[in-house]
């Protein structure tokens, strides 16, 4: 947490003079459609031309129920349908916050304040139906930048905040505490008592009896607390973007003291988030567009990046993942390695037919980002289990899964869950040094003329994954299954063996014996029907006689995920190397 606080303070120092813009959420959006409800005529008019410094959108405090400073509130039609009274309460809460800056005499002497003070729930009764059917602003296709829809109380076609900008000034400059004895954790100077009012590094919610230690837990001066608050707001509004329902932000940490360079780096990030810098084509994005674009712009600069993934609910901030000390060159290296294997982190319209996705083997997107960008590694056994799930279901997320059809698999139908795809995944993780443990996947065998007659033996011997008799037996059974599927269809256009295999369930060590018996029975039937044998099937059977008995007697544990993968490898290799050699 200390590194984040320091990063926020550094950013806040740069933007301190621009606090009015930073604290006003209106500047976060490229376009804002605002429904202006006139407090005098009670008419509602839409506008997209309100100046940002007139439409002041900022929260009154850090608590979830603190409300906004002015009655400018987000407009979300689906939320109105669920709870219209909550929408009204948000406006009334903002009115109360706004009026708290005035005494009774001031309110009585001001026409606008008088009208605001009289607004209550009943004010919205006759407006409810009209408000409920107002549409949300729809972002036009191809438009870059953030858009939003807001609802504001107004007077003569201007939001109330436009008439009371001095209140915003008072709000920004107010001091809440007096200096206490202690030393600021950022400057080591005497005098603390400041609070940045960030929900994940604030102590506002302490029990009453503990208020005395509030400023000892996070000892900050008023100046440092203000910088941290501004730095967070800059990150949230200018240096972050949406990441599948979360927010992702980059915090630069300079390796030398150079304010101008730091300003330049922050400008690069801000312009990238806004879409003003776009040198990498969408089809070339393999991890995340903002991440890769910023890394490209930062190359050769003395900077590290901290990546934050967080979630906001009102004022609450839940930091879900923090990745520290990322060099821009490392981000670019990861992206280039993924491009080498044509693996993308997440599915998108820019993905080609040959692309495969990490999203298919990880249930959580943050797990993907953490593995790719941090020092974390994945256990080899866990990775093989993921590959087994990919094989059987096509996706580790059951929401997008569909069962395997072995007949289609043997004929190369499932490119995304094929052995070739799995080998690419392993290649990526090995090159990035992300696997803990030894995982040897099949390598392309050397096929000279002298090996063609002994091709099955060559495949079996050169496959380093098959390091015991159980896996070799599973491999040969997979190869024989593919041969039988091909042979049966050629003889009778029948796929009864495939249907049996689809209903057989997971291929495990304990079930290999039953599978072998079924395959032997099928060989006999096809030989009888066709009037001749099958050279490939016969040779595989001969090799099974050598390995299967030892496999069935094996007392050690061989994980089912390894057995399943070995079976699939055999079926894949039959189609790849043997099918035309029958």
């Amino acid at each position: 947490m200390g590194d984040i606080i320091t990063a926020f303070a550094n950013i806040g120092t740069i933007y301190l003079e621009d606090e009015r813009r930073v604290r006003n959420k209106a500047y976060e959006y490229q376009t804002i459609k605002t429904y202006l409800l006139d407090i005098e005529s009670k008419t509602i008019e839409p506008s997209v031309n309100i100046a940002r410094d007139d439409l002041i959108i900022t929260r009154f405090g850090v608590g979830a129920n603190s409300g906004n400073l002015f009655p400018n509130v987000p407009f979300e039609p689906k939320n109105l349908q669920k709870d219209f009274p909550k929408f009204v309460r948000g406006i009334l809460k903002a009115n109360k916050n706004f009026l708290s800056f005035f005494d009774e005499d001031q309110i009585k002497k001001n026409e606008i304040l008088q009208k605001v003070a009289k607004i209550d729930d009943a004010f919205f009764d006759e407006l409810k139906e009209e408000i409920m059917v107002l549409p949300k602003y729809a972002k036009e296709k191809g438009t870059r930048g953030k858009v939003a829809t807001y609802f504001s109380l107004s007077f003569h076609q201007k939001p109330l905040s436009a008439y009371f900008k001095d209140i915003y000034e008072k709000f920004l400059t107010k001091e809440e505490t007096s200096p206490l004895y202690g030393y600021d954790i950022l400057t080591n100077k005497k005098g603390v008592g400041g609070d940045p009012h960030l929900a994940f590094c604030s102590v506002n919610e302490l029990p009453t009896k503990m208020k005395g230690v509030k400023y000892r837990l996070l000892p900050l001066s008023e100046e440092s607390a203000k910088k941290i608050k501004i730095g967070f707001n800059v990150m949230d509004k200018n240096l972050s973007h949406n990441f599948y329902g979360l927010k992702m932000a980059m915090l630069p940490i300079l390796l030398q003291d150079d304010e101008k360079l730091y300003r330049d780096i922050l400008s690069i990030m801000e312009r990238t988030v806004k879409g003003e810098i776009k040198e990498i084509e969408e089809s070339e994005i393999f991890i995340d567009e903002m991440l890769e674009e910023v890394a490209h712009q930062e190359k050769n600069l003395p900077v590290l990046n901290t990546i934050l993934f967080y979630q906001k609910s009102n004022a609450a901030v839940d930091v879900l993942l923090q990745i520290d000390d990322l060099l821009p060159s490392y981000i670019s290296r990861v992206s280039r390695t993924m491009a080498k294997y044509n693996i993308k982190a997440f599915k998108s319209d820019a993905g080609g037919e040959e692309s495969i996705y990490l999203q298919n083997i990880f249930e959580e997107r943050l797990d993907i980002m953490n593995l790719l960008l941090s020092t974390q590694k994945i256990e080899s056994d866990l990775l093989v289990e993921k590959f087994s799930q990919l094989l059987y279901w096509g996706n580790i997320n059951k929401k997008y899964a569909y069962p395997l059809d072995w007949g289609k698999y043997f004929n190369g139908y499932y490119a995304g869950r094929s052995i070739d795809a799995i080998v690419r995944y392993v290649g990526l993780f090995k090159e990035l040094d992300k696997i803990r443990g030894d995982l040897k996947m099949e390598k392309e065998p050397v096929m000279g003329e002298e090996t063609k007659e002994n091709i099955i033996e060559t495949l079996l011997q050169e496959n380093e994954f098959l390091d015991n008799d159980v896996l070799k037996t599973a491999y040969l059974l997979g190869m024989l299954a593919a041969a039988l599927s091909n042979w049966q269809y050629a003889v009778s256009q029948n796929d009864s063996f495939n249907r049996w295999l689809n209903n057989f369930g997971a291929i495990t060590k304990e079930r290999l014996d039953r599978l072998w018996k079924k395959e032997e029975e099928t060989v006999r039937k096809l030989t009888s029907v066709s009037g001749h044998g099958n050279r490939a099937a016969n040779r595989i059977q001969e090799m099974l006689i050598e390995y299967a008995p030892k496999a069935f007697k094996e007392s050690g544990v061989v994980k089912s995920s390894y057995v399943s993968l070995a079976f699939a490898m055999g079926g894949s290799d039959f189609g790849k190397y043997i099918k035309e050699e029958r």
Side-chain angles (χ1 to χ4, degrees):
M1 186 61 74
D3 290 340
I4 300 179
I5 297 301
T6 303
F8 287 159
N10 291 338
I11 296 171
T13 300
I14 299 297
Y15 284 83
L16 192 60
E17 297 176 0
D18 202 15
E19 184 181 9
R20 294 174 189 82
R21 185 175 73 92
V22 170
R23 295 284 293 275
N24 184 0
K25 193 176 177 66
Y27 284 96
E28 181 179 343
Y29 302 106
Q30 188 74 22
T31 306
I32 302 178
K33 181 176 184 178
T34 309
Y35 289 111
L36 298 173
L37 170 56
D38 193 285
I39 59 175
E40 183 176 54
S41 65
K42 299 183 76 170
T43 58
I44 301 173
E45 294 185 10
S47 175
V48 292
N49 299 314
I50 300 173
R52 295 296 187 273
D53 58 351
D54 283 348
L55 186 66
I56 300 171
I57 304 169
T58 191
R59 291 191 67 79
F60 187 69
V62 71
N65 298 317
S66 62
N68 284 0
L69 174 62
F70 292 104
N72 303 319
V73 299
F75 185 79
E76 185 61 62
K78 64 180 182 181
N79 292 339
L80 264 66
Q81 301 294 332
K82 295 177 183 177
D83 195 346
F84 185 79
K86 183 178 180 180
F87 168 74
V88 172
R89 289 196 300 271
I91 296 174
L92 298 181
K93 181 66 176 178
N95 283 351
K96 182 179 178 181
N97 295 336
F98 165 53
L99 291 173
S100 68
F101 286 85
F102 305 94
D103 58 35
E104 289 186 14
D105 287 340
Q106 290 174 311
I107 293 174
K108 288 178 181 179
K109 293 176 182 178
N110 185 289
E111 180 186 4
I112 296 177
L113 296 180
Q114 287 182 43
K115 295 182 183 299
V116 173
K118 294 177 181 177
I119 294 175
D120 57 12
D121 295 81
F123 180 86
F124 295 91
D125 288 345
E126 61 186 85
L127 296 167
K128 179 178 178 179
E129 290 187 9
E130 183 179 357
I131 294 173
M132 293 279 280
V133 297
L134 295 174
K136 183 180 179 180
Y137 179 75
K139 185 176 181 179
E140 296 179 5
K141 190 173 183 180
T143 303
R144 299 190 66 83
K146 300 178 182 179
V147 301
T149 310
Y150 271 76
F151 191 94
S152 301
L153 297 189
S154 65
F155 187 73
H156 294 175
Q157 298 182 326
K158 292 173 68 175
L160 299 186
S161 53
Y163 296 96
F164 298 95
K165 296 179 183 179
D166 58 321
I167 297 302
Y168 188 42
E169 296 294 329
K170 291 179 183 178
F171 175 75
L172 295 178
T173 57
K174 67 179 180 179
E175 294 187 2
E176 297 183 350
T177 61
S178 301
L180 303 173
Y181 179 78
Y183 290 87
D184 186 308
I185 61 171
L186 295 178
T187 65
N188 204 33
K189 293 180 180 179
K190 188 182 293 186
V192 299
D195 191 334
H197 293 296
L198 302 181
F200 65 92
C201 62
S202 175
V203 287
N204 280 349
E205 305 304 320
L206 285 174
T208 304
K209 291 183 179 180
M210 294 185 66
K211 293 296 184 182
V213 300
K214 173 177 179 177
Y215 301 107
R216 308 292 183 219
L217 297 178
L218 189 61
L220 296 167
S221 66
E222 287 286 353
E223 182 181 6
S224 292
K226 186 173 185 178
K227 289 177 180 178
I228 292 169
K229 178 64 175 175
I230 292 173
F232 174 81
N233 286 333
V234 169
M235 179 205 75
D236 187 47
K237 296 174 183 177
N238 302 341
L239 308 180
S240 71
H241 71 298
N242 291 328
F243 181 82
Y244 302 99
L246 308 177
K247 296 199 79 174
M248 172 184 165
M250 295 182 72
L251 303 177
I253 300 171
L254 210 57
L255 300 178
Q256 63 188 48
D257 189 12
D258 188 331
E259 182 178 322
K260 181 182 181 302
L261 179 58
Y262 197 58
R263 288 181 181 275
D264 290 342
I265 291 172
L266 290 171
S267 176
I268 286 171
M269 289 184 167
E270 189 169 343
R271 291 168 59 207
T272 300
V273 170
K274 290 180 178 177
E276 295 174 4
I277 299 179
K278 189 172 174 61
E279 294 185 11
I280 301 178
E281 294 295 328
E282 188 177 357
S283 60
E284 298 170 344
I285 300 299
F286 290 88
I287 313 171
D288 175 85
E289 183 174 3
M290 172 194 166
L291 194 70
E292 294 178 61
E293 190 69 70
V294 169
H296 176 71
Q297 298 296 327
E298 287 181 340
K299 62 183 178 183
N300 302 322
L301 295 179
V303 63
L304 297 173
N305 294 293
T306 289
I307 312 297
L308 281 187
F309 297 89
Y310 62 100
Q311 197 166 30
K312 290 181 65 180
S313 177
N314 294 321
V317 180
D318 187 6
V319 178
L320 303 173
L321 176 63
Q322 175 182 339
I323 303 174
D324 294 314
D325 301 335
L326 264 176
L327 281 166
S329 58
Y330 181 74
I331 298 172
S332 298
R333 180 199 162 204
V334 172
S335 179
R336 287 195 304 271
T337 307
M338 294 176 73
K340 173 182 174 180
Y341 292 96
N342 198 359
I343 298 174
K344 291 179 178 284
F346 310 105
K347 291 183 179 180
S348 70
D349 294 338
E353 291 184 3
E354 300 299 319
S355 299
I356 56 177
Y357 305 92
L358 294 178
Q359 187 179 349
N360 287 346
I361 57 173
F362 289 90
E363 197 160 359
E364 299 294 336
R365 290 183 171 91
L366 291 187
D367 290 342
I368 296 173
M369 302 302 279
N370 196 24
L371 183 62
L372 288 177
L373 302 176
S374 76
T375 58
Q376 182 181 353
K377 295 186 179 185
I378 186 169
E379 296 288 345
S380 56
D381 283 353
L382 177 58
L383 192 56
V384 172
E385 176 61 33
K386 289 181 177 294
F387 293 150
S388 176
Q389 291 295 312
L390 176 71
L391 171 70
Y392 283 119
W393 297 102
N395 197 307
I396 202 166
N397 189 328
K398 292 296 185 285
K399 182 179 179 181
Y400 305 105
Y402 57 98
L404 173 71
D405 182 318
W406 282 110
K408 291 181 177 180
Y409 184 85
F410 294 145
N411 286 285
Y413 180 79
Y414 301 109
R417 56 169 105 174
S418 66
I419 294 299
D420 287 343
I422 290 171
V423 169
R424 284 159 63 187
Y425 285 126
V426 173
L428 170 68
F429 292 138
K430 279 195 171 182
E431 194 160 332
L432 295 177
D433 191 23
K434 292 295 180 180
I435 302 176
R436 184 181 290 109
D438 189 26
L439 179 57
K440 296 177 180 178
M441 295 297 292
E442 64 171 6
K443 57 185 179 182
E444 201 71 23
V446 180
M447 290 295 181
E449 286 298 322
E450 70 280 1
T451 65
K452 285 188 176 181
E453 290 301 317
N454 303 308
I455 189 169
I456 300 173
E457 292 88 336
T458 301
L459 290 170
L460 194 66
Q461 292 168 5
E462 293 197 9
N463 192 326
E464 295 178 308
F465 184 78
L466 311 175
D467 59 2
N468 60 63
D469 290 328
V470 173
L471 296 184
K472 288 176 181 177
T473 298
Y475 175 85
L476 290 170
L477 288 172
M479 188 174 281
L480 183 55
L484 294 176
S485 173
N486 183 61
W487 186 14
Q488 185 179 57
Y489 190 79
V491 170
S492 61
Q493 281 74 51
N494 192 299
D495 64 349
S496 60
F497 176 74
N498 288 335
R499 293 198 304 273
W500 179 89
L501 192 57
N502 290 337
N503 293 322
F504 181 71
I507 311 296
T508 66
K509 173 191 169 187
E510 293 72 24
R511 310 182 79 189
L512 292 181
D513 189 14
R514 181 185 169 200
L515 180 56
W516 188 25
K517 290 176 181 176
K518 177 64 178 180
E519 291 188 356
E520 285 189 313
E521 174 190 324
T522 306
V523 169
R524 289 194 296 271
K525 287 181 178 179
L526 291 177
T527 302
S528 175
V529 170
S530 64
H532 58 78
N534 180 289
R535 187 175 64 179
N538 292 340
R539 180 60 189 131
I540 298 169
Q541 275 189 301
E542 291 172 4
M543 296 186 68
L544 274 167
I545 292 172
E546 176 184 351
Y547 291 103
K550 292 183 286 185
F552 300 152
K553 293 178 182 179
E554 175 62 51
S555 60
V557 175
V558 181
K559 294 188 175 181
S560 298
S561 54
Y562 282 78
V563 178
S564 296
L565 228 56
F567 181 85
M569 283 180 183
S572 176
D573 280 357
F574 176 84
K576 200 171 183 180
Y577 301 108
I578 302 174
K579 191 173 182 179
E580 294 181 358
E581 297 288 336
R582 285 194 302 112

